[in-house]
Amino acid sequence: VVNSNDVVPTFENLPYSFSITEDSGTISNPISKSVGSVRAVALGKTVRYSIINGDPTGLFDIDDVSGSITAVKRVDREMTSEYDLVIVANTDSGNAQTNVHVTINDVNDHAPKFELQSQVIDVAENLPIGMEVYLASAVDLDAGDNSKLRYTLHDSASSGLFRINIDTGMIILDKSLQNLAASKRSYQLT
């Protein structure tokens, strides 16, 4: 015999771990995005759900009857990549808590940016071919494959005097600078 006043909710299908994809661009009024659902049972009792911790900005909402969790604001992985929500299931005779881990997956929504937009460097005329001239450095706020950088050199003005390492951004002297015409002593590499 079970006293119905002693029945507390019990969460099923533990642990809870979900992943959603971040929103790209600047969405001012995003449509709710489904995250996942939790479920607790309490013999003969109505269970109500709420989020009690782990969501300081109010990004998530939980349907108090179904346990369905939705993202109700713009999801940005670059701001926060994971959330650990604490969900409580309430009945008139008690409550139970569970943790819900939410991982935010990245989309390629950030362009790489150079740390310095413009830089003037001097190169000695007698510098040997193959010597490193300058390290171009850029960053991309995205994650994983979306943050991998490939450098290219748009160098039509310098007639192939320089090349760039596509992985590191190192600019290398590729031809001799000696005996260049005076009018060809300044180059702009982009």
Side-chain angles (χ1 to χ4, degrees), residues 118-137:
S118 179
Q119 179 71 30
V120 176
I121 58 170
D122 292 318
V123 179
E125 181 180 27
N126 63 349
L127 189 70
I129 294 172
M131 293 301 295
E132 297 173 344
V133 175
Y134 178 73
L135 179 61
S137 182

Side-chain angles (χ1 to χ4, degrees), residues 26-159:
T26 54
I27 300 172
S28 57
N29 282 325
I31 298 173
S32 294
K33 182 181 288 201
S34 177
V35 175
S37 292
V38 297
R39 185 167 191 278
V41 293
L43 185 65
K45 299 287 185 172
T46 299
V47 178
R48 300 282 183 193
Y49 303 95
S50 59
I51 299 171
I52 62 167
N53 203 350
D55 185 22
T57 62
L59 174 64
F60 300 100
D61 186 39
I62 189 166
D63 184 286
D64 67 333
V65 176
S66 71
S68 293
I69 302 167
T70 54
V72 294
K73 293 182 180 178
R74 183 175 185 272
V75 179
D76 187 358
R77 191 219 47 91
E78 287 76 24
M79 296 297 291
T80 306
S81 61
E82 297 180 316
Y83 293 86
D84 288 304
L85 306 177
V86 179
I87 308 294
V88 66
N90 288 302
T91 66
D92 59 0
S93 59
N95 65 56
Q97 292 183 8
T98 193
N99 296 318
V100 174
H101 183 79
V102 181
T103 301
I104 310 301
N105 298 323
D106 188 52
V107 297
N108 196 1
D109 60 344
H110 290 275
K113 293 186 179 186
F114 283 98
E115 292 177 5
L116 296 172
Q117 295 303 310
S118 179
Q119 179 71 30
V120 176
I121 58 170
D122 292 318
V123 179
E125 181 180 27
N126 63 349
L127 189 70
I129 294 172
M131 293 301 295
E132 297 173 344
V133 175
Y134 178 73
L135 179 61
S137 182
V139 294
D140 188 321
L141 296 177
D142 290 309
D145 287 343
N146 292 335
S147 68
K148 289 183 181 174
L149 300 174
R150 304 286 285 186
Y151 294 90
T152 58
L153 189 60
H154 299 280
D155 144 38
S156 60
S158 72
S159 302

Side-chain angles (χ1 to χ4, degrees), residues 2-30:
V2 176
N3 182 345
S4 65
N5 291 329
D6 296 335
V7 176
V8 294
T10 303
F11 280 96
E12 297 181 331
N13 305 317
L14 297 172
Y16 293 106
S17 183
F18 306 110
S19 65
I20 59 172
T21 301
E22 75 173 321
D23 297 311
S24 60
T26 54
I27 300 172
S28 57
N29 282 325

